[in-house]
Amino acid sequence: MDAQTVSLQLPLAQITRSTGDAPLHYLEYHPGVAELALLGLAKDTGDADLGDALTLARPLSQPLPKQPAASAVTAPWCLTLLSPGATLAQLRALLDFVAGLGASVTAVDTLSQRRERTVLRLQLDGKLDFDPVRRACLKLAEEIGADLVLQTGDSQRPPSLAGFDMDSTLIDAEVIDELAKITGIGAQVAAITEAAMRGELDFRQSFKKRMRLLKGFPEAELARIAPQLPLKDGAEPLLRALRALGCKTVILSGGFTYFAHYLQSQRLAVDTVHANQLEFADGALTGEVIEPIVDGARKRELLEQIAVEMGLPLSRVIAVGDGANDIPMLSLGGLGIAIHPKPKVRQEAPQSIDRFGLDAALYLFGLNDGQIAGLLERG
């Protein structure tokens, strides 16, 4: 039989007492408006067992709007579930986890209910120690096959300044490795890059070593490589939405200005670029570096400097990256989002998204799919 969406009204606690499972489409819970939670499940009437606790729940008396407006965040914490295939079992595990923290759920909004993506934002009240709870969220996320993002309630708003790493963050490649492939030393340079991004090598020293290996690389090849660099999934809509929101964006890259400026002028809505300059002589790379090298400390310093120049508190600043040299700036502002990060970075970054593209960051600003679509139409 075809799956049907079953909408149920029930106390939130009743969900945790259920025993069955089914795909989950939405959950809305706003005690200030209605005491009962609104739960939407896909039920195959041929074989699905939702458990007695749910089959006894009251069916919805009115149709659910396609995209309900998200409620204002008033709680001290938000915990966002981003699942490629949300289920009732995932929801139960999440509610049990919250109860185990000694916290209470004060509201739930469904920010996305696509076939391939369900996003639930839970507002939490309670005294939470951020770092150990964040790490516990990472563990639970692995167990249930989803992303779980913890943040303070006041960070659930669009930023005014966003700093982005470039390689493996905005683009799905490490440019220095691409240059090395052309010169026949791709594996050698890639191994150094990977170790540096995992935090096993000092970035400055590894960068100098890789540049020496690239001595003699022809300058004319840059124009051929730049258009071939693949964008990271979700990069273009995220940057467009941020521009529509009035947020200033900056690339802060340990890569190269040539490619960052190409992205800025041809492919992405980026306002400012800070990266490393390539030094050429007689049409070929010299193998030397031009100071200052944009390493992890420099990224953080630049992002903080830009915020000061804009007159912004750091609470209105976010950073997005993937490697160990991004950790300093990820810990600077209101949000530090690691996207498809290396293991060390996943453990240390304040927020982490593993299973979705860059545009999933928009949910962490309190936006739902309807609002995001409106921003993209404007942008």
Side-chain angles (χ1 to χ4, degrees):
M1 274 189 176
D2 293 335
Q4 296 177 334
T5 299
V6 179
S7 297
L8 303 170
Q9 292 174 305
L10 70 170
L12 197 63
Q14 198 168 325
I15 296 173
T16 62
R17 298 197 297 270
S18 64
T19 56
D21 200 10
L24 170 67
H25 289 313
Y26 53 82
L27 175 64
E28 297 288 331
Y29 175 59
H30 308 117
V33 178
E35 290 304 316
L36 296 179
L38 183 61
L39 183 70
L41 300 173
K43 177 187 176 184
D44 185 327
T45 54
D47 55 19
D49 174 17
L50 303 185
D52 290 343
L54 293 188
T55 55
L56 293 175
R58 288 188 290 168
L60 179 63
S61 57
Q62 297 179 1
L64 179 74
K66 275 191 174 181
Q67 187 65 59
S71 62
V73 173
T74 57
W77 301 99
C78 285
L79 180 57
T80 303
L81 168 78
L82 304 99
S83 177
T87 65
L88 181 59
Q90 284 184 338
L91 176 58
R92 273 199 306 267
L94 184 55
L95 293 175
D96 286 342
F97 173 75
V98 171
L101 296 174
S104 59
V105 178
T106 63
V108 183
D109 288 295
T110 300
L111 303 182
S112 180
Q113 54 189 80
R114 306 183 202 176
R115 181 181 297 274
E116 75 287 356
R117 176 187 300 181
T118 302
V119 180
L120 302 182
R121 181 188 68 191
L122 282 67
Q123 295 190 45
L124 307 182
D125 190 14
K127 294 182 178 179
L128 303 182
D129 190 347
F130 177 75
D131 202 54
V133 173
R134 175 187 65 80
R135 291 176 185 270
C137 285
L138 293 178
K139 184 175 183 294
L140 178 60
E142 285 298 313
E143 293 172 358
I144 66 175
D147 285 334
L148 285 175
V149 181
L150 180 69
Q151 63 189 110
T152 59
D154 59 9
S155 70
Q156 266 268 329
R157 60 181 179 183
S160 297
L161 172 64
F164 289 89
D165 173 50
M166 179 175 69
D167 295 39
S168 296
T169 297
L170 290 177
I171 59 174
D172 205 8
E174 293 285 339
V175 171
I176 200 166
D177 295 354
E178 299 304 309
L179 304 187
K181 288 176 186 177
I182 293 173
T183 59
I185 55 171
Q188 184 179 358
V189 169
I192 299 171
T193 301
E194 182 66 17
M197 292 303 100
R198 290 195 304 262
E200 298 168 4
L201 293 177
D202 174 75
F203 179 83
R204 288 179 60 86
Q205 296 306 314
S206 71
F207 182 71
K208 291 179 178 180
K209 183 177 182 179
R210 286 175 288 169
M211 290 307 299
R212 285 195 295 270
L213 290 170
L214 287 170
K215 182 178 180 179
F217 182 88
E219 184 175 7
E221 286 291 316
L222 301 184
R224 184 178 69 82
I225 294 170
Q228 299 177 15
L229 295 173
L231 293 181
K232 196 80 165 183
D233 181 38
E236 190 271 340
L238 172 58
L239 270 296
R240 265 205 298 145
L242 286 173
R243 177 160 288 182
L245 287 164
C247 175
K248 296 298 181 184
T249 54
V250 55
I251 290 177
L252 300 161
S253 175
F256 306 115
T257 53
Y258 180 92
F259 300 99
H261 284 304
Y262 177 86
L263 289 178
Q264 180 188 30
S265 63
Q266 301 294 323
R267 307 190 70 183
L268 293 175
V270 173
D271 295 305
T272 310
V273 164
H274 291 278
N276 294 305
Q277 296 182 55
L278 292 167
E279 182 179 80
F280 291 94
D282 300 321
L285 272 178
T286 66
E288 300 300 318
V289 301
I290 298 174
E291 296 284 355
I293 295 173
V294 181
D295 59 3
R298 180 67 174 156
K299 289 184 180 188
R300 180 186 173 105
E301 176 187 331
L302 287 166
L303 188 58
E304 188 168 14
Q305 178 182 318
I306 295 168
V308 170
E309 292 170 355
M310 293 177 64
L312 294 175
L314 292 179
S315 60
R316 302 309 305 271
V317 178
I318 70 162
V320 183
D322 75 296
N325 63 324
D326 297 317
I327 291 174
M329 73 171 181
L330 292 178
S331 61
L332 176 67
L335 291 175
I337 305 168
I339 186 76
H340 306 166
K342 310 300 185 289
K344 173 183 173 67
V345 185
R346 184 173 185 269
Q347 289 300 315
E348 296 192 25
Q351 287 79 33
S352 180
I353 294 174
D354 292 270
R355 292 168 174 81
F356 296 96
L358 274 166
D359 56 329
L362 292 166
Y363 301 118
L364 307 187
F365 310 153
L367 301 171
N368 63 31
D369 277 346
Q371 293 166 318
I372 293 168
L375 290 171
L376 295 180
E377 288 177 4
R378 287 163 46 194

